[in-house]
Amino acid sequence: MRGKPRARHRGPVTLTRMASTVLSLRMDGELLDRVRQHAARSGMSVQDYVVRTLIREDFDQRFEAAVDETERFYGLT
């Protein structure tokens, strides 16, 4: 009897596997060093760390806007 086929593990998923567009950033050396340190502590590349940070910030802003809209709809503000 054969069971359900197992999903193949392909290793850690990174944010760079998504369809993407190139964004070039210019930053001073001190900031880049700090970003590298944060990325290393998270076990991520600098690129993945920056993208993850931007995604989280975008989510936070959209979530806050949704909460504000819900509060206005229910007359809570």
Side-chain angles (χ1 to χ4, degrees), residues 9-29:
H9 179 66
R10 297 180 186 204
V13 176
T14 63
L15 299 173
T16 57
R17 291 187 184 174
M18 300 183 325
S20 61
T21 302
V22 174
L23 170 65
S24 178
L25 297 172
R26 184 180 306 252
M27 64 178 73
D28 68 29

Side-chain angles (χ1 to χ4, degrees), residues 37-77:
Q37 290 172 5
H38 290 299
R41 276 187 242 130
S42 299
M44 304 174 81
S45 69
V46 169
Q47 177 179 333
D48 286 348
Y49 179 81
V50 170
V51 170
R52 185 192 74 176
T53 302
L54 292 171
I55 289 170
R56 184 177 58 233
E57 178 70 19
D58 178 62
F59 173 82
D60 290 348
Q61 289 176 2
R62 289 184 295 124
F63 182 78
E64 186 175 328
V67 169
D68 291 346
E69 187 175 329
T70 300
E71 288 176 346
R72 279 193 304 278
F73 179 79
Y74 287 105
L76 303 173
T77 58

